[in-house]
Amino acid sequence: MDSSEAERMRGERLRVAVGGFGAIGKPVVRALHEGIDGLELTAVSARDTGRAETWMTRELGRAYPAMPLARLGEVADVVVECAPPQLLGELARPVLEAGKVVVALSVGALLSNPDLVPLAARTGGRILVPSGALLGLDAVQAAAQGEIESVTIVTRKPPESLRGAPAIEAMGLDLDTLREPVRCFAGPASEAISSFPANLNVAVALGLAGFGTERTMLEVWADPGVSRNTHRISVTSDSSNFTMQIEGIPIEENPRTGRLTPLSVISTLKRLTAPLVIGA
Ligand SMILES: NC(=O)C1=CN([C@@H]2O[C@H](COP(=O)(O)OP(=O)(O)OC[C@H]3O[C@@H](n4cnc5c(N)ncnc54)[C@H](O)[C@@H]3O)[C@@H](O)[C@H]2O)C=CC1
Ligand SMILES: O=C([O-])CC(=O)C(=O)O
């Protein structure tokens, strides 16, 4: 970050761009449009620019500039990544090369782009991972400053929210006729993401928060008995043992994603400039 960038971080408004215009991107764009202290929305990126412009004009009364993911870093200090996971590198590399900030939602894709963290370390860029659909990453990170003995996460999802996952297709599971819960995965978080690239970012975020994705143990259930994306996390460590559960209400437009996730991004954005930061 050069001195003019540093000045902007201190005094001027931070410029924010949003890459991906779906279940997470739209509410985040709306919140930035409605106003977050110290932040200014400068651009968005969508697969279908025309549709995004129509949506913004209808819903917000103006269309913010739309541009390709790889160019968002040219017009923003902070770029929110909420696009399909295979596009994380394309969006993040130029932002990090410029020493800027990526707020990453496709956390699982950090594992298949292992150059991004060293790139950020070299340039002074930063990758911020909101807690997203999860909870308690602050406590897991604190416990990791001591000795963690185990971290487990058991995920139960309504069958509908697992539709399209490669693992479900490989199992030949008919999600429409499930009567009983079916376990679709058991193993380390690091191995789950290739089978569920759009469903288990939370397990990778949990792993990265403390015990490592290879030691963080995950079970995934397609459960016709739940209507919410449910994650139950248990941690044992030399400072504390804790168990946490979250039941996320799926977003209608994209039931793979819960309502809390865009709110978590908005909260992360607010904390970029807030004078008081809780749970930092
Ligand atoms: N960390 C977390 O807790 C969570 C992470 N996620 C992840 O966040 C990411 C975004 O999730 P959602 O908003 O729910 O997905 P979504 O599928 O609703 O939205 C993604 C958007 O990106 C757009 N897109 C596709 N190709 C593009 C391109 N070349 N350029 C620009 N935009 C393009 C799509 O048209 C779509 O509108 C996904 O990777 C998802 O797995 C989702 C939920 C929770
Ligand atoms: O909403 C959820 O359960 C989490 C999710 O999709 C993800 O981690 O990608």
Side-chain angles (χ1 to χ4, degrees):
M1 190 185 301
D2 62 24
S3 62
S4 62
E5 210 76 53
E7 208 161 285
R8 184 190 298 285
M9 300 286 272
R10 275 197 305 275
E12 294 173 26
R13 296 212 292 171
L14 282 177
R15 299 166 304 161
V16 181
V18 177
F21 209 74
I24 299 172
K26 282 182 197 155
V28 170
V29 164
R30 186 189 290 280
L32 285 161
H33 168 75
E34 287 172 356
I36 298 181
D37 272 354
L39 306 184
E40 172 192 3
L41 177 62
T42 51
V44 302
S45 188
R47 181 170 40 200
D48 184 336
T49 300
R51 275 181 62 186
E53 285 171 346
T54 303
W55 185 91
M56 287 188 281
T57 305
R58 191 185 66 235
E59 297 286 327
L60 311 177
R62 67 170 281 198
Y64 289 84
M67 55 181 63
L69 289 175
R71 293 199 42 216
L72 293 176
E74 295 171 21
V75 297
D77 309 298
V78 178
V79 180
V80 179
E81 177 283 320
C82 47
Q86 64 275 18
L87 301 177
L88 172 69
E90 181 179 328
L91 175 150
R93 260 179 218 106
V95 180
L96 296 174
E97 269 157 15
K100 294 176 173 177
V101 176
V102 177
V103 176
L105 275 300
S106 301
V107 192
L110 286 172
L111 301 185
S112 47
N113 290 275
D115 60 310
L116 294 181
V117 175
L119 173 61
R122 205 165 58 245
T123 63
R126 302 188 76 206
I127 304 168
L128 307 184
V129 172
S131 52
L134 214 56
L135 76 174
L137 295 183
D138 50 350
V140 178
Q141 287 180 93
Q145 307 312 309
E147 290 293 323
I148 292 186
E149 283 152 34
S150 68
V151 179
T152 59
I153 170 166
V154 178
T155 291
R156 293 180 181 275
K157 295 208 174 208
E160 176 59 26
S161 26
L162 291 169
R163 198 177 298 286
I168 299 295
E169 287 174 8
M171 286 169 79
L173 201 60
D174 180 357
L175 296 171
D176 295 319
T177 57
L178 280 195
R179 301 234 175 281
E180 299 290 328
V182 173
R183 197 174 74 175
C184 308
F185 179 85
S190 54
E191 284 175 19
I193 199 72
S194 55
S195 308
F196 297 95
N199 309 93
L200 290 168
N201 292 288
V202 287
V204 173
L206 178 67
L208 293 175
F211 204 36
T213 55
E214 280 158 18
R215 293 188 294 175
T216 297
M217 291 299 153
L218 166 71
E219 281 184 23
V220 182
W221 293 77
D223 187 344
V226 300
S227 58
R228 299 184 175 189
N229 291 328
T230 304
H231 306 287
R232 187 174 177 81
I233 296 158
S234 299
V235 175
T236 56
S237 75
D238 66 350
S239 62
S240 54
N241 295 346
F242 47 93
T243 300
M244 319 177 274
Q245 174 158 317
I246 188 162
E247 296 162 19
I249 302 176
I251 294 177
E252 231 168 81
E253 168 185 339
N254 174 358
R256 288 189 303 273
T257 294
R259 289 186 195 171
L260 189 67
T261 304
L263 299 180
S264 160
V265 179
I266 294 165
S267 160
T268 295
L269 291 174
K270 286 186 173 172
R271 283 183 292 159
L272 290 175
T273 59
L276 171 65
V277 178
I278 304 292

